Amino acid sequence: MKSLSKNSLLNYNTKFLFQQTKKIAHIVVFSVDNNNILCYIAKAIARHTIYRGGIAIELLPVKIEGLQKLTLLDFPGHIACIAFTHGCNFRCPFCHNSDLVTGIPSDDNTVTEEFWKLLDRRKGILEGVVITGGEPLLQKNIERFMEKIKQNGFKVKLDTNGSFPGKLRMVIDSGLVDYVAMDVKNSLDKYNLTTGTQADTGAVKDSISLLLTGKVPYEFRTTAVKELHTANDFTEIGKMIQGAERYYIQSYKDSKKVLTPGLSAPTQEELLSYLAAVKQYVPQSRIRGTDTNDI
């Protein structure tokens, strides 16, 4: 196969092929000075293709916007990395990933490529991948993305806001997820206030009910914000998730990336009152990530 020079990319047909490949395989930046571009494209497409019985069936359109290469905390019992996907259907004012929620997706796919290279390099060291966002279940083919991770020998933890119970059920029933962490934003009466949207609380309740069946290990969690939560809200949350295996209250922490500035964390006394309220229904509840050291 004839090697193409950099100048050859200027012709219309090759530019068109390059643009189409960007769309389906998420390839953006590579050197073509001393490489055959078509061979590179073929290899890159192969890295992003699901195989069943040796037959290529689909490309992976999930693009990663952020990557944390190591976490010892986010996937209980496992050494993992964290992949951040773009986009969310909520606009929680306390969200720390506002760039993933409201920003325009990047055209640079360097992070996506680095993610797959990381999994190749750290086989035998990393045990799992945490998929978070944004809201990962918004991704069109998130199940294919999970399948590819599982095919590479890694466990999958999913962070979700519970808005898509159908998709959640699908990835659970398909064995594509090993652990689910679902955010319960507030009592149902305050869901719109807390999510900044007209939230489908019916979908949230369906996701809670699904996880309570215990088909997959899970946890529920709530970020407590002084301006948004009261002890009574945690009583209502406790009723919603009664019987849960694990529930964590995590205190709001301010940052420059938060979606709505001016919010504040509850006092330790308030956090303890929240914990007492929810423990009436979920005795395993704990406070995570404060000076209380996981009470």
Side-chain angles (χ1 to χ4, degrees):
M1 187 178 290
K2 184 179 178 181
S3 179
L4 301 177
S5 69
K6 189 172 183 179
N7 289 336
S8 298
L9 290 177
L10 296 178
N11 74 72
Y12 175 82
N13 290 332
T14 306
K15 283 177 68 178
F16 177 79
L17 173 62
F18 180 52
Q19 292 297 325
Q20 295 307 304
T21 305
K22 282 169 59 179
K23 292 178 183 178
I24 62 173
H26 294 306
I27 305 161
V28 173
V29 179
F30 53 84
S31 169
V32 297
D33 290 328
N34 300 306
N35 295 290
N36 186 301
I37 184 172
L38 299 181
C39 287
Y40 189 100
I41 288 172
K43 290 178 182 178
I45 289 176
R47 285 203 302 274
H48 290 264
T49 306
I50 289 290
Y51 290 88
R52 288 201 186 105
I55 300 174
I57 61 168
E58 189 166 359
L59 297 171
L60 297 176
V62 173
K63 188 166 76 72
I64 299 167
E65 288 287 324
L67 177 62
Q68 183 176 323
K69 296 182 179 181
L70 180 66
T71 176
L72 304 178
L73 301 175
D74 291 86
F75 195 157
H78 297 288
I79 301 170
C81 65
I82 306 176
F84 296 84
T85 62
H86 186 276
C88 188
N89 56 315
F90 286 171
R91 294 294 182 269
C92 305
F94 49 88
C95 180
H96 284 85
N97 294 330
S98 57
D99 50 339
L100 298 177
V101 172
T102 62
I104 298 173
S106 170
D107 285 333
D108 185 352
N109 291 272
T110 304
V111 179
T112 303
E113 290 292 301
E114 176 57 25
F115 169 74
W116 294 110
K117 291 177 183 177
L118 178 72
L119 295 193
D120 285 340
R121 291 196 308 266
R122 295 194 176 177
K123 283 185 177 179
I125 300 174
L126 290 178
E127 300 166 327
V129 176
V130 178
I131 305 174
T132 189
E135 170 50 52
L137 293 182
L138 275 175
Q139 298 294 318
K140 181 180 178 181
N141 276 356
I142 189 66
E143 68 277 9
R144 305 292 186 252
F145 180 64
M146 291 176 171
E147 186 174 354
K148 185 68 172 178
I149 293 170
K150 299 281 281 186
Q151 285 181 350
N152 278 274
F154 297 93
K155 293 183 179 295
V156 172
K157 180 204 172 196
L158 171 68
D159 290 348
T160 182
N161 62 28
S163 294
F164 304 98
K167 215 165 187 181
L168 180 59
R169 181 182 298 276
M170 179 179 61
V171 298
I172 291 174
D173 289 348
S174 300
L176 296 177
V177 63
D178 301 283
Y179 192 95
V180 177
M182 177 178 162
D183 293 316
V184 180
K185 301 295 184 178
N186 209 330
S187 59
L188 293 181
D189 288 344
K190 295 170 75 172
Y191 239 79
N192 290 350
L193 171 68
T194 311
T195 63
T197 61
Q198 294 294 313
D200 183 352
T201 55
V204 171
K205 290 191 290 184
D206 287 347
S207 291
I208 290 173
S209 296
L210 173 61
L211 292 178
L212 287 174
T213 64
K215 290 184 177 181
V216 66
Y218 67 89
E219 67 182 55
F220 297 111
R221 60 193 186 185
T222 301
T223 299
V225 183
K226 188 179 186 70
E227 291 80 6
L228 297 175
H229 295 95
T230 66
N232 185 62
D233 293 321
F234 284 90
T235 298
E236 295 304 312
I237 290 171
K239 293 177 182 178
M240 279 195 289
I241 64 170
Q242 188 169 7
E245 296 174 357
R246 286 169 291 274
Y247 174 66
Y248 297 98
I249 300 171
Q250 46 202 36
S251 184
Y252 168 77
K253 293 183 179 179
D254 199 12
S255 78
K256 293 181 180 179
K257 289 188 175 182
V258 74
L259 198 59
T260 303
L263 300 174
S264 57
T267 65
Q268 183 165 319
E269 181 180 357
E270 287 169 328
L271 285 173
L272 292 174
S273 73
Y274 301 164
L275 183 64
V278 77
K279 272 196 168 186
Q280 299 175 75
Y281 303 94
V282 186
Q284 299 83 359
S285 301
R286 303 180 76 178
I287 295 174
R288 172 189 279 167
T290 70
D291 292 338
T292 55
N293 293 320
D294 282 5
I295 290 177

